[in-house]
Amino acid sequence: MFSTLIEFIRDHYRTQDFIPLHAPVFRGNEKNYVAETIDSTFVSSVGSFVDRFEHDMAAYTGSPRAVATVNGTAALHVALRLVGAERGDYILTQPLTFVATCNAIAYCGAMPIFIDVDRSTLSLSPKSLSAWLEENAYLDEHGCCRRLDNQGVIRACLPMHTFGHPADLNGLVHVCNDWGIALVEDAAESLGSTYQGQHTGTFGIIGVLSFNGNKVITTGGGGMVLADEKIASRAKHLTTTAKKPHTYEYVHDEVGYNYRLPNINAALGCAQLEQLDAFINEKRQLANEYARCLSGSELSFITEPAGCRSNYWLNAVICADRQQRDELLSVTNGKGVMTRPIWQLMNRLPMYANASTGELTNSLWLEERVVNLPSGIRLNGP
Ligand SMILES: *Cc1c(COP(=O)(O)O)cnc(C)c1O
């Protein structure tokens, strides 16, 4: 069972050793740039690599500006603060995501509302979003979206581009505009992925990236806020302890965060970003080969949605049922090929079990069936 798949994976990675799900690869200027920060002593919160990383990432994504943070979760927290999320507010998101999405909501004192995903994108469904709002929300006299049951403010919508596959962004933008809801994109997994030629994370008011060790490129730990000039300036202020520029005095005008990305991490990021296009080409090639290997098998390989170009951060298959999913996980992991099930739905976790939910038919269906396959690029390249 699954021997063709395992053989293909071992062939691809050219090893009989353990194969991880996703490992970082450093084959460019990483050592040079990091050494430069050490030689200069500028390893911490000040340094030219931070500016360069932000500039290069804005250019790469087509965002007016980018602000680097210590990690993606911190970037999400600041993003939600900047669209006004506060205690008692509600944020619409998907139950099929990594827990960081919901934790950032909780840091603001807000509550998630879980809306179903589409099977074709694995990401938030505009149709389900619209249906839930029609039934449960109204626009008050100030154009503010509120819940019918308790008048709580529905402050933002936070879709996540699952495994790098873009959500139906036109649809989501449309629904959010109709309801006066701020769109914030959790693009932590989708650096390099585009929807109709435009980079994910640039459709909403704010987009968030992550450079954790398992993402497409890494800074060790790191994240980024993508936004226009005005919001990005606010993000910079909030993430640098809300310090006002002054020649020598310490002036802080609100409760800020120490969320700034250190220069040593930004150095790693600059080197990684230089290789991002090559990394994505290799990942897309691997996805192609998986699709070919699995065509005609019982496992259905997940491909990029129509009109999108995905970074194929994590490759995934849909199994016939839960039993087959368990078998695939058990056989592959038993043979030293790391595979993982998709996350448990967020509304199963104790801290989010009381959150409101819409109909979750697709999320429940996918939760039982989706398995991620090894997706890292090879140290020695193609
Ligand atoms: C990785 C990730 C984040 C951010 O994670 P950090 O480790 O804090 O950088 C947020 N949301 C999703 C969906 C992620 O996959």
Side-chain angles (χ1 to χ4, degrees), residues 115-254:
I115 305 294
D116 207 7
V117 298
D118 283 322
R119 278 198 202 178
S120 55
T121 64
L122 312 179
S123 304
L124 194 66
S125 163
K127 229 172 137 184
S128 299
L129 181 67
S130 173
W132 189 90
L133 287 163
E134 290 291 347
E135 208 166 301
N136 297 285
Y138 68 100
L139 283 172
D140 72 11
E141 66 273 26
H142 307 291
C144 180
C145 184
R146 290 177 183 273
R147 288 178 69 127
L148 278 168
D149 56 358
N150 64 7
Q151 286 73 57
V153 174
I154 298 169
R155 191 67 68 184
C157 175
L158 182 58
M160 195 279 282
H161 305 295
T162 305
F163 305 148
H165 300 307
D168 176 355
L169 281 159
N170 274 353
L172 292 174
V173 166
H174 194 83
V175 176
C176 287
N177 284 345
D178 280 355
W179 285 90
I181 297 171
L183 178 62
V184 177
E185 296 173 71
D186 183 344
E189 303 183 354
S190 65
L191 173 61
S193 300
T194 60
Y195 176 92
Q196 295 176 4
Q198 185 180 331
H199 201 284
T200 51
T202 65
F203 287 80
I205 294 178
I206 308 180
V208 166
L209 305 174
S210 166
F211 314 115
N212 191 37
N214 62 346
K215 296 301 201 297
V216 182
I217 63 168
T218 186
T219 57
M224 194 77 87
V225 171
L226 305 176
D228 67 17
E229 186 59 41
K230 194 167 156 220
I231 293 172
S233 299
R234 286 277 302 137
K236 191 57 145 184
H237 188 63
L238 262 189
T239 54
T240 52
T241 62
K243 187 180 184 304
K244 304 275 275 187
H246 191 284
T247 327
Y248 48 83
E249 296 275 14
Y250 297 104
V251 186
H252 305 268
D253 61 355
E254 62 185 309

Side-chain angles (χ1 to χ4, degrees), residues 359-380:
E359 267 241 75
L360 301 180
T361 317
N362 292 333
S363 301
L364 288 160
W365 189 87
L366 290 163
E367 181 192 34
E368 293 222 293
R369 291 171 175 79
V370 174
V371 172
N372 288 121
L373 305 175
S375 302
I377 56 166
R378 295 172 295 203
L379 183 57
N380 300 319

Side-chain angles (χ1 to χ4, degrees), residues 22 279-287 312-313 375 377:
H22 202 287
F279 287 3
I280 291 176
N281 282 338
E282 289 172 45
K283 291 174 78 66
R284 291 179 58 81
Q285 180 64 36
L286 171 58
Y312 281 97
W313 171 54
S375 302
I377 56 166

Side-chain angles (χ1 to χ4, degrees), residues 280-297:
I280 291 176
N281 282 338
E282 289 172 45
K283 291 174 78 66
R284 291 179 58 81
Q285 180 64 36
L286 171 58
N288 249 318
E289 289 172 20
Y290 266 128
R292 202 173 327 134
C293 168
L294 292 167
S295 75
S297 87

